[in-house]
């Protein structure tokens, strides 16, 4: 007990209120903890690896405050003392929790008054790339030049997790030079051409020995196989200049029973420049007369595109019959036309953003005889003007003479070293791009000023810097006006850049970024393919956008009567009447077991490994992402407490053994039930009533083909929630979850606030969260209303 006493020196202050709190601690709180906590949480092996004598009363220390907050949570939920121990009187629990809550609140209020809630944070990789893109007007892939960002509280834009280092600064310099090299035009305007190509001239068509292509006299080519090695590239197109290119193609589906044929366009394949390829999109070729399709893609030098139909026969199968005699479906491509590089003006917009209409003179070098450089007759005056304009956008605020002076001085120093005007200005521009004012979101304690609010709003909904309209409103000090701010929320949500909110928030809230983390076993899940994977993610993103756009109830994320489907995903879900790659809103059949993100294939895939599902992982995901009650991390010594699972036949029996151990039961009784409900879905999100196995089981035949897996044990999705409510399947579980809509709203509000402000929430933030939940409840839990409520909150508008 001596250690306990010495750890509580009574550092609550000398004011009257502090003295009163100190006395209450000595007379009530400490004796309460000694009676009910000391037995388990002391000694060499304390339960949960948590010792009572580590509980100091220095609430200004964040770690100490965090331990008290954990005590508060355990007491409020009734988890401690354990159910087997004597229960303290409710009046004592209320008094102790009230004391803890008051001390936490007082310390947090004092800290935030001095320092603010949100720590100084830098731009993460995605925000940096987007910011440079919009600042310079270039499509430069910079993210991969920078090291991976760390995450905290579920997101990668949390200030405490975004560290800096000399290595990172070197990478920022490299990224700045790369971006400026693409933004500044040092050569004459490249000639834009428009050329029509016939795929019959493709290298693959001319070199293959398999009879999988059908040629017409007019030059049309019909692709009859979906084997990857028979993808056809536009190999005659091999650009020397990077830039945007417009592709137009004449396509149609043939012999397809009046159904479209889907095909994929891949960009970057076959490139000799080391460029990373990417999926342009999947497209539908409709049956009947040829249809003209068009898209624009940014191409690196010496790259091309390739085309591959989806869902057709293998090349071996077609080759046995021969292309001319083949009666199955195919993709006919009459021609592909390429126009570019597309530059509406020259020098391009990116160059003009920096140098305006300043003249360029010849500046040949050994390998670029046609090189030109920007010149100036008034170099310092022009440099001041260029840097003042650039710094205003880069720093996301009005700039002063003092802000610009160091960069102009750098130009002057470079000119004194006999550097050219353009070289000197480049050095200063690069310095701006690695300056703290650019890399960090600077905010002062208290209410955000208009500029800081503009940045917070823009990085929340666009993951990039404020545009000119936001900056202008900030300069006029109008953005903090509630009506103006709400109008800007609507404008930003309606803008194409809001796609970043959908991608980055859902990618982390729902874990969609992990879609490639595992590869399903080809033996157990032979139907899995790349188009299904792409469709999985797109369904979730489009569903999120649909709920947001129409201010639908956020309860749709748990259960809805519609989803966004294309033909591939509809087939996977067993929903008839949908074909092609194009997505559309589809009303779900009552017996589909779908609706809401819980039963979307994307979520079900990222919560499983490539071979098996785990009720524990999926259950923990539901608790964290949907209910906002994440389970604690298992104790460090959990490995020594593993139950004897010998004799168990399946995962249900194994987890039942876990629940028999007190150290495991508290978490598993909460995690396992929602996970069992989701056992009706396999590794790739397909509905199942039986497990697939490669051991003992019955053979499975589909469409006359023997599958490489066997029919295993029957799935049992029933269980009982921790509060005693039983359910039969996932549909029952959803109904139970929806009995507490406020908790679903509360959980999502906390996620949004964390993502929007770049800082995790603390117990002191609960009143603000509850205020938002009450407001959104009055609007039928509308999701768009929730986003607006987050922006209008004090937490969002304060540091």
């Amino acid at each position: 007990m001596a250690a306990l006493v010495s750890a509580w020196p009574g550092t609550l202050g000398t004011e009257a209120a502090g003295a009163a709190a100190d006395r209450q601690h000595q007379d009530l709180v400490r004796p309460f903890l000694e009676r009910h906590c000391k037995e388990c949480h002391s000694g060499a092996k304390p339960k949960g690896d948590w010792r009572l004598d580590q509980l100091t009363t220095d609430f200004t220390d964040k770690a100490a405050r965090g331990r008290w907050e954990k005590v508060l949570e355990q007491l409020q939920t009734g988890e401690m003392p354990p159910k087997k121990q004597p229960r303290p009187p409710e009046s004592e629990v209320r008094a102790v929790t009230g004391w803890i809550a008051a001390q936490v609140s007082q310390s947090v209020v004092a800290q935030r008054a001095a320092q603010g809630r949100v720590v100084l944070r830098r731009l993460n990789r995605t925000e940096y790339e987007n910011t440079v893109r919009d600042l310079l007007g270039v499509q430069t892939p910079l993210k991969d030049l920078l090291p991976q960002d760390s995450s905290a509280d579920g997101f990668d834009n949390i200030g405490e997790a975004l560290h800096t280092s000399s290595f990172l600064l070197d990478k920022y310099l490299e990224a700045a030079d790369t971006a400026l090299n693409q933004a500044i035009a040092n050569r004459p305007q490249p000639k834009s051409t428009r050329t029509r190509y016939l795929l019959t001239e493709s290298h693959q068509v001319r070199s293959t020995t398999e009879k999988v292509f059908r040629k017409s006299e007019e030059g049309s080519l019909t692709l009859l196989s979906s084997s990857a090695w028979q993808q056809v590239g536009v190999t005659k197109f091999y650009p020397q200049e990077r830039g945007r290119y417009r592709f137009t193609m004449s396509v149609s589906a043939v012999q397809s029973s009046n159904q479209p044929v889907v095909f994929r366009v891949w960009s970057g394949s076959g490139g000799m420049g080391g460029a990373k390829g990417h999926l342009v999109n999947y497209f539908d070729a409709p049956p009947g007369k040829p249809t003209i399709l068009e898209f624009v893609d940014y191409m690196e030098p010496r790259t091309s595109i390739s085309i591959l139909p989806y869902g057709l026969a293998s090349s071996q199968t077609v080759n046995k019959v021969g292309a001319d005699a083949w009666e199955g479906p195919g993709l006919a491509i009459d021609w592909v036309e390429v126009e570019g590089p597309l530059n509406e003006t020259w020098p391009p917009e990116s160059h003009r953003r920096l140098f305006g209409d300043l003249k360029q003179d010849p500046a040949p070098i050994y390998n670029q005889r046609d090189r030109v450089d920007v010149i100036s007759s008034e170099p310092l005056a022009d440099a001041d003007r260029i840097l003042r304009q650039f710094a205003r956008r880069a720093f996301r605020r009005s700039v002063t003479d003092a802000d610009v002076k160091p960069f102009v001085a750098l130009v002057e120093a470079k000119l004194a070293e006999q550097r050219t005007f353009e070289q000197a200005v480049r050095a200063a521009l690069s310095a701006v791009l690695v300056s703290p004012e650019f890399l960090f979101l600077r905010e002062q304690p208290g209410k955000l000023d208009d500029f800081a609010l503009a940045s917070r709003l823009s990085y929340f909904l666009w993951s990039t810097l404020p545009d000119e309209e936001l900056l202008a409103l900030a300069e006029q000090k109008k953005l903090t006006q509630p009506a103006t701010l709400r109008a800007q929320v609507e404008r930003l949500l309606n803008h194409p850049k809001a796609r970043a909110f959908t991608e980055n928030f859902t990618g982390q809230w729902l874990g969609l970024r992990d879609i490639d983390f595992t590869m399903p076993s080809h033996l157990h899940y032979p139907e899995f393919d790349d188009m299904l994977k792409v469709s999985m993610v797109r369904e979730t993103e489009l569903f999120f956008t649909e709920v947001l756009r129409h201010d639908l109830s956020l309860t749709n994320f748990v259960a809805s009567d519609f989803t966004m489907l294309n033909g591939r995903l509809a087939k996977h879900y067993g929903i008839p009447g949908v074909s092609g790659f194009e997505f559309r809103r589809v009303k779900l059949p009552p017996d589909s077991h779908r609706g809401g993100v819980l039963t979307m294939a994307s979520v079900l895939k990222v919560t499983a490994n490539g071979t098996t599902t785990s009720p524990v992982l999926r259950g923990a995901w539901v608790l964290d992402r949907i209910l906002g009650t994440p389970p604690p991390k298992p104790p460090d010594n959990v490995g020594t407490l593993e139950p004897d699972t010998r004799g168990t036949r399946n995962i249900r029996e194994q987890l039942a053994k876990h629940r028999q151990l007190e150290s495991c039961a508290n978490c598993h009784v909460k995690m396992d039930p929602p996970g069992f409900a989701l056992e009706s879905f396999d590794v790739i999100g397909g509905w199942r009533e039986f497990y697939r196995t490669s051991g003992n089981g019955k053979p499975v035949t589909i469409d006359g083909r023997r599958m490489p897996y066997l029919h295993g044990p029957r799935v049992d999705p029933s269980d009982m929630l921790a509060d005693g409510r039983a359910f039969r399947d996932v549909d029952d579980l959803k109904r139970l979850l929806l009995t507490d809509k406020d908790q679903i709203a509360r959980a999502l509000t906390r996620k949004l606030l964390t993502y929007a402000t770049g800082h995790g929430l603390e117990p002191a933030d609960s009143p603000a969260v509850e205020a938002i939940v009450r407001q959104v409840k009055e609007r039928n839990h509308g999701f768009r209303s929730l986003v607006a409520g987050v922006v209008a909150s004090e937490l969002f508008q304060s540091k």
Side-chain angles (χ1 to χ4, degrees):
M1 189 59 211
L4 184 64
V5 172
S6 65
W8 287 344
T11 58
L12 296 174
T14 57
E15 300 291 336
D22 199 7
R23 285 195 302 273
Q24 192 176 16
H25 168 258
Q26 296 289 339
D27 297 341
L28 171 67
V29 178
R30 187 172 69 179
F32 177 93
L33 296 176
E34 287 179 7
R35 287 195 301 271
H36 300 288
C37 306
K38 182 181 178 184
E39 181 179 348
C40 295
H41 296 288
S42 61
K45 295 183 178 180
K47 287 195 175 181
D49 197 25
W50 188 86
R51 294 172 57 93
L52 194 61
D53 57 12
Q54 295 175 340
L55 202 61
T56 74
T57 54
D58 182 9
F59 281 84
T60 61
D61 179 72
K62 187 175 180 180
R65 189 168 69 241
R67 287 191 284 271
W68 278 107
E69 288 170 346
K70 189 65 179 175
V71 172
L72 178 63
E73 177 188 348
Q74 296 289 307
L75 291 174
Q76 288 176 332
T77 59
E79 298 214 5
M80 292 292 166
K83 291 182 173 56
K84 295 180 180 180
Q85 299 296 325
R87 303 298 296 173
E90 190 60 34
S91 58
E92 283 191 24
V93 174
R94 283 198 302 270
V96 170
T97 56
W99 181 87
I100 297 173
Q103 304 316 304
V104 169
S105 178
Q106 290 171 17
S107 66
V108 169
V109 168
Q111 176 187 316
R112 291 182 180 180
Q115 303 173 13
R117 170 178 164 270
V118 181
V119 303
L120 177 70
R121 80 171 183 91
R122 64 167 173 83
L123 304 180
N124 65 22
R125 297 192 317 153
T126 298
E127 292 167 337
Y128 178 88
E129 181 176 279
N130 293 346
T131 300
V132 172
R133 175 201 66 200
D134 294 336
L135 179 63
L136 296 177
V138 294
Q139 297 290 332
T140 310
L142 300 174
K143 191 161 56 174
D144 291 340
L145 295 177
L146 305 176
Q148 287 281 352
D149 294 314
S150 300
S151 294
D153 297 298
F155 298 99
D156 65 358
N157 64 345
I158 306 302
E160 290 92 339
L162 293 170
H163 307 297
T164 56
S165 64
S166 58
F167 173 77
L168 180 60
L169 291 177
D170 286 341
K171 287 298 180 180
Y172 278 137
L173 280 169
E174 180 183 346
D177 287 341
T178 300
L180 290 172
N181 286 339
Q182 292 202 19
I184 299 171
N186 290 116
R187 299 180 64 188
Q189 180 173 6
K191 183 180 179 181
S192 181
T193 61
R194 177 185 292 178
T195 307
R196 181 169 291 187
Y197 300 95
L198 300 178
L199 294 189
T200 52
E201 301 171 352
S202 165
H203 171 75
Q204 180 63 23
V205 175
R206 289 186 286 109
S207 63
T208 185
T209 58
E210 293 183 310
K211 300 173 184 177
V212 294
F213 301 113
R214 186 183 300 163
K215 306 174 188 177
S216 73
E217 293 181 359
E218 295 79 17
S220 173
L221 181 72
T222 300
L223 290 69
L224 301 170
S225 165
S226 290
S227 294
W229 59 89
Q230 293 295 5
Q231 64 182 332
V232 176
V234 186
T235 49
K236 295 285 186 179
F237 168 64
Y238 199 61
Q240 299 302 305
E241 303 288 343
R242 68 167 48 89
R244 294 166 61 249
Y245 288 79
R246 179 179 294 110
F247 295 85
T248 308
M249 55 183 67
S250 174
V251 300
S252 60
V254 299
Q255 302 172 180
S256 62
S257 302
N258 208 35
Q259 295 295 314
V261 169
V262 178
F263 65 97
R264 181 194 78 183
V265 176
W266 186 265
S267 177
S269 57
M272 299 297 289
K276 215 170 150 184
H278 64 272
L279 175 70
V280 175
N281 209 344
Y282 284 89
F283 299 90
D284 290 334
K289 67 189 261 184
T291 297
I292 304 300
L293 298 178
E294 182 178 291
F295 63 88
V296 174
D297 193 49
Y298 188 86
M299 305 291 295
E300 291 291 332
R302 299 177 296 281
T303 61
S304 189
I305 65 167
S306 61
I307 300 166
L308 182 68
Y310 174 80
L312 304 187
S314 69
S315 61
Q316 298 96 326
T317 302
V318 177
N319 186 53
K320 289 179 182 178
V321 178
D324 293 335
W326 181 252
E327 297 180 353
L331 169 67
I333 303 178
D334 299 325
W335 43 262
V336 177
E337 189 173 273
V338 186
E339 179 185 4
L342 304 175
N343 291 298
E344 297 177 0
T345 61
W346 196 264
E349 170 64 19
S350 60
H351 181 101
R352 292 175 181 273
R353 286 189 188 186
L354 298 174
F355 293 107
D357 294 323
L358 286 178
K359 288 181 59 179
Q360 291 178 295
D361 265 4
I365 56 178
Y366 73 97
N367 61 345
Q368 291 183 15
R369 296 183 178 276
D370 56 356
R371 192 180 188 281
V372 292
D373 250 13
V374 178
I375 61 171
S376 170
S377 57
E378 299 179 275
L380 291 181
D382 283 334
D384 183 273
R385 173 180 54 80
I386 290 168
L387 291 167
R388 193 173 296 273
Q389 293 174 350
F390 186 68
R392 172 182 173 272
R393 290 182 287 121
F395 295 168
R396 305 170 285 274
R397 59 173 174 80
S398 298
V399 292
T400 64
D401 291 343
D403 290 323
V404 179
K405 185 177 179 181
F407 303 106
V408 176
L410 179 59
V411 172
E412 190 171 12
K414 293 297 181 182
L415 291 173
E417 296 173 4
Q418 302 305 307
R419 302 290 184 90
T420 67
F421 171 75
E422 182 184 305
Q423 290 172 340
V425 172
R426 271 179 180 254
L429 293 172
S430 183
V432 170
L433 292 176
V434 297
S435 68
E437 293 292 333
F438 175 72
L439 296 174
F440 291 84
L441 296 172
R442 290 182 176 269
E443 301 163 346
Q444 298 303 316
K447 188 173 177 62
L448 298 180
D449 64 28
D450 286 71
F451 290 112
L453 182 58
S455 287
R456 182 168 284 189
L457 179 62
S458 184
Y459 281 100
F460 173 32
L461 298 180
W462 284 356
S463 295
T464 188
L465 79 175
D467 64 358
E468 186 57 38
E469 183 170 333
L470 272 177
L471 270 183
L473 287 170
E475 287 174 331
Q476 298 164 24
K477 299 188 183 301
K478 292 181 177 179
L479 190 58
T480 50
Q481 299 173 3
T484 302
L485 182 60
R486 178 59 194 263
Q488 288 301 306
V489 171
E490 289 298 311
R491 183 179 73 86
L492 266 63
L493 287 175
N494 291 331
H495 196 281
K497 287 182 185 177
R499 179 171 174 80
F501 174 50
T502 297
E503 291 180 353
N504 295 324
F505 182 71
T506 61
Q508 297 177 88
W509 170 43
L510 301 177
L512 303 188
R513 287 185 178 179
D514 294 332
I515 196 69
D516 289 318
F517 191 70
T518 61
M519 175 57 69
S521 164
H522 68 281
L523 294 177
H524 286 166
Y525 302 98
E527 69 269 40
F528 181 78
D529 55 47
D530 190 68
M531 183 176 166
L532 177 58
K533 182 190 72 174
V534 171
S535 300
M536 288 175 176
V537 175
R538 194 152 310 176
E539 176 200 17
T540 309
E541 291 179 346
L542 290 174
F543 181 82
F544 180 91
T545 301
E546 185 79 357
V547 175
L548 176 63
R549 178 184 294 125
H550 299 292
D551 198 24
L552 303 180
S553 172
L554 55 85
T555 59
N556 279 280
F557 292 126
V558 172
S560 66
D561 62 359
F562 78 94
T563 191
M564 312 298 289
L565 293 180
N566 65 357
R568 180 65 187 91
L569 205 54
K571 178 183 178 182
H572 187 55
Y573 289 174
I575 297 174
V578 184
S579 62
F581 182 75
E582 291 300 316
F583 278 79
R584 69 221 71 173
R585 179 169 170 160
V586 175
K587 186 172 179 61
L588 291 167
D591 60 350
S592 69
H593 306 292
R594 303 288 173 173
V597 298
L598 290 177
T599 53
M600 287 184 178
S602 59
V603 167
L604 294 163
K605 181 182 183 302
V606 300
T607 55
N609 63 31
T611 306
T612 61
T613 57
S614 167
V616 176
L617 293 179
R618 284 179 169 173
W621 187 96
V622 173
L623 294 183
D624 179 20
R625 313 302 171 92
I626 304 301
L627 298 179
T629 56
K633 293 181 179 179
D636 292 337
N637 61 347
V638 72
T640 64
L641 299 174
E642 284 294 325
D644 185 357
T645 57
R646 288 173 295 182
T648 60
R649 294 169 298 176
N650 52 46
I651 184 66
R652 179 178 289 273
E653 292 182 1
Q654 291 176 23
L655 291 176
K657 290 275 190 178
H658 273 276
R659 295 193 202 183
Q660 293 173 10
L661 291 180
E662 183 180 339
S663 58
C664 300
N666 285 340
C667 291
H668 279 278
V669 75
K670 299 174 184 176
M671 289 189 299
D672 299 351
F676 278 123
L678 295 176
E679 279 294 277
S680 291
F681 301 93
D682 62 27
V683 165
I684 59 174
W687 176 261
R688 66 185 177 188
E689 294 183 355
F690 296 87
Y691 291 99
R692 298 182 183 185
T693 180
S694 55
N696 297 321
K698 299 178 181 178
V700 178
T701 301
I702 299 178
D703 295 333
R705 292 179 55 211
R706 173 78 176 270
M707 293 293 104
Y709 55 84
L710 300 174
H711 198 133
R714 178 177 287 276
V715 172
D716 178 6
S718 64
D719 207 342
M720 180 183 295
L721 295 178
D723 60 11
R725 291 179 295 168
F727 58 84
R728 294 168 299 174
D729 54 23
V730 69
D731 299 324
D732 272 359
L733 174 68
K734 290 179 184 179
R735 283 190 284 271
L736 294 178
L737 296 181
L738 288 178
T739 59
D740 192 355
K741 296 178 182 179
D742 284 354
Q743 181 57 32
I744 297 168
R746 186 175 297 112
L748 187 51
T749 299
R750 296 180 68 87
K751 294 292 184 183
L752 283 169
L753 280 167
T754 299
Y755 177 80
T757 63
H759 190 278
L761 298 194
E762 300 174 84
D765 300 320
S766 294
V769 172
E770 293 306 314
I772 297 173
V773 172
R774 287 193 298 270
Q775 293 169 8
V776 77
K777 185 176 184 178
E778 295 174 357
R779 295 179 174 271
N780 194 32
H781 293 102
F783 183 44
R784 196 179 186 95
S785 297
L786 174 57
V787 172
V790 164
V791 173
S793 70
E794 183 182 354
L795 288 178
F796 184 87
Q797 297 187 32
S798 302
K799 183 182 185 304

